[in-house]
């Protein structure tokens, strides 16, 4: 695996959620929490799966991109989410590669890749009612048997197109990551915060 995967550091871009959530956090106790996890390198990878193509991608990413939707491929270097039969989103882990994009390393081995992190921010939604809040805006079946931890898919939440990813649950319920095009980021945050107010709190100390 190449050991020169980083590029020159650049200033961290202003958060896409700064106007609606300057602190990068919202909580309705007993319902949900919203959190801006900050910038993470994201690379859009395109190609036609062949043995040689998969081997080249795995040489950079530490894992071959998945051939089917649903469960991502994971390595210490990146999580690779299936977007379509010839398209993947590569989420850099930062482990051993520094803060830079993986796009240059993928390009060096002849693969079609572009850094999209600044244009595709994500937010984290968690809490005991997170699934209920999401269910109010999407037709997806979010039951754990249908959408287990690790799964990711494109959907619409209200009128906003998102890539919905369920990560590992914490002690307070499911945890989701929602990746959204930057112009819609503030709208998505506001939609989720408003939707949370429609749900009664599981916290008896918090007014329903």
């Amino acid at each position: 695996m190449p050991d020169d995967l980083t590029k020159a550091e650049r200033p961290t871009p202003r958060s896409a959620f700064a106007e609606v959530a300057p602190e990068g956090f919202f909580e309705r106790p007993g319902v949900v929490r919203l959190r801006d996890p900050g910038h993470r390198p994201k690379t859009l990878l395109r190609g036609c799966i062949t043995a040689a193509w998969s081997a080249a991608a795995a040489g950079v990413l530490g894992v071959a991109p998945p051939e089917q939707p649903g469960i991502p491929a994971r390595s210490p270097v990146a999580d690779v989410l299936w977007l379509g039969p010839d398209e993947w989103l590569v989420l850099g882990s930062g482990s051993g590669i520094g803060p830079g994009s993986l796009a240059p390393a993928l390009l060096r081995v002849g693969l079609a890749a572009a850094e999209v992190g600044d244009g595709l921010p994500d937010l984290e939604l968690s809490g005991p009612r997170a699934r209920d809040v999401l269910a109010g805006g999407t037709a997806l079946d979010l039951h754990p048997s249908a959408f287990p931890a690790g799964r990711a898919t494109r959907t619409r939440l209200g009128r906003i197109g998102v890539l919905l990813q369920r990560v590992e649950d914490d002690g307070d319920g499911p945890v989701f990551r929602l990746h959204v095009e930057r112009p819609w980021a503030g709208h998505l945050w506001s939609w989720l915060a408003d939707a949370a107010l429609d749900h009664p709190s599981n916290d008896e100390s918090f007014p329903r």
Side-chain angles (χ1 to χ4, degrees), residues 143-158:
H143 189 275
S145 63
F147 202 76
R151 184 147 297 184
T153 190
R154 281 172 163 163
T155 188
R156 297 192 73 81
L157 194 63

Side-chain angles (χ1 to χ4, degrees), residues 80 92 104 119 170:
V80 188
D170 63 18

Side-chain angles (χ1 to χ4, degrees), residues 125 129-142 157 191 199:
L125 173 71
R129 304 299 295 274
R131 189 182 301 111
D132 296 336
V133 169
L134 289 174
T138 179
L140 279 179
D141 183 355
L142 297 174
L157 194 63
W191 188 95
H199 292 269

Side-chain angles (χ1 to χ4, degrees), residues 31-179:
V31 182
V32 297
R33 289 178 300 278
L34 293 176
R35 185 177 71 87
D36 176 6
H39 178 75
R40 182 182 186 184
K42 298 180 183 179
T43 300
L44 191 64
L45 173 64
R46 291 193 173 100
C48 181
I49 291 181
T50 64
W53 184 92
S54 293
V60 174
L61 303 176
V63 66
E67 299 186 24
Q68 300 293 330
I71 304 300
R74 308 187 72 175
S75 80
V77 172
D79 293 344
V80 188
L81 308 183
W82 188 96
L83 300 181
D86 60 357
E87 188 176 39
W88 297 263
L89 182 65
V90 180
L91 308 175
S93 70
S95 176
I97 63 169
S101 169
L102 284 161
L106 291 164
L107 290 168
R108 283 197 292 271
V109 297
L111 304 183
E115 166 66 17
V116 295
D118 295 354
L120 194 70
D122 61 272
L123 62 82
E124 182 179 281
L125 173 71
S126 62
R129 304 299 295 274
R131 189 182 301 111
D132 296 336
V133 169
L134 289 174
T138 179
L140 279 179
D141 183 355
L142 297 174
H143 189 275
S145 63
F147 202 76
R151 184 147 297 184
T153 190
R154 281 172 163 163
T155 188
R156 297 192 73 81
L157 194 63
R159 299 181 178 181
I160 306 169
V162 300
L163 174 63
L164 179 63
Q165 177 189 11
R166 184 175 173 193
V167 297
E168 297 298 329
D169 295 358
D170 63 18
D172 198 26
V175 181
F176 297 91
R177 285 283 179 96
L178 291 85
H179 307 263

